[in-house]
Amino acid sequence: MLIRTATAADWPAIWPFLHAIVAAGETYTYPRDLDEATAREMWLLAPPGRTVVAVDDAGTVLGTAKMNPNHMGGASHIAGASFMVDPRHGGRGVGRALGRHVLDRARAEGYRAMQFNAVVETNTGAVALWESLGFEIMTTLPEGFRHPTEGYVGLHTMYRRL
């Protein structure tokens, strides 16, 4: 698996699984009816943000991640990141590889920590992955997320010092 900077040419491969994940409404705080143009603008970041894709040997996009300053001004030394793995390629270590890559990039770019603002508590696979990569749950906003089948569930803020 190769992780490289995403280009505009990658968007047609990213959009179908990003759209499906967002429309399911189980793991992201984005509107479930997010349109393609808005999604593209939100996901393909300009500097100082960065968007990457994980691709296999054939060049198939397996997943994607974006990293950016989580805050501005005096808190711009804290990175934020978001990740999406194409469900057809789940269970192959794509999320872990993207997580490690983004952590390494954030450290190399001088960030002092990484914060995830909104990890849905029922997304137990993601919570376990981030904890295995050294993140801690700093707090949980009770009923902070309206899950389509579980109802109101907690929304974690997770943090890792770099």
Side-chain angles (χ1 to χ4, degrees):
M1 174 180 341
L2 170 70
I3 298 176
R4 61 167 174 75
T5 300
T7 68
D10 294 313
W11 183 250
I14 295 169
W15 170 242
F17 67 86
L18 185 148
H19 180 254
I21 290 167
V22 170
E26 297 176 347
T27 56
Y28 271 84
T29 59
Y30 298 157
R32 293 177 73 179
D33 62 351
L34 185 66
D35 66 87
E36 184 175 2
T38 304
R40 181 182 172 131
E41 184 177 331
M42 290 171 56
W43 200 262
L44 295 180
L45 300 179
R50 165 184 315 279
T51 304
V52 297
V53 289
V55 298
D56 64 14
D57 291 340
T60 302
V61 174
L62 309 172
T64 181
K66 65 175 184 160
M67 181 187 79
N68 50 279
N70 197 39
H71 305 286
M72 299 184 298
S76 62
H77 60 284
I78 308 297
S82 297
F83 304 82
M84 290 204 190
V85 174
D86 185 332
R88 297 173 300 171
H89 303 291
R92 296 175 51 187
V94 177
R96 179 171 300 279
L98 286 166
R100 286 184 174 146
H101 176 84
V102 166
L103 286 167
D104 289 345
R105 291 296 311 180
R107 192 176 297 108
E109 292 179 15
Y111 288 101
R112 295 180 51 93
M114 184 168 286
Q115 176 182 330
F116 298 155
N117 299 323
V119 181
V120 179
E121 73 179 350
T122 55
N123 190 357
T124 55
V127 173
L129 172 60
W130 304 137
E131 287 180 329
S132 78
L133 291 175
F135 284 83
E136 299 174 63
I137 297 171
M138 301 307 292
T139 192
T140 302
L141 179 62
E143 298 186 352
F145 185 80
R146 189 176 59 242
H147 192 282
T149 60
E150 301 294 323
Y152 289 97
V153 300
L155 200 56
H156 298 316
T157 298
M158 300 185 77
Y159 168 86
R160 179 187 164 162
R161 187 181 314 268
L162 299 175

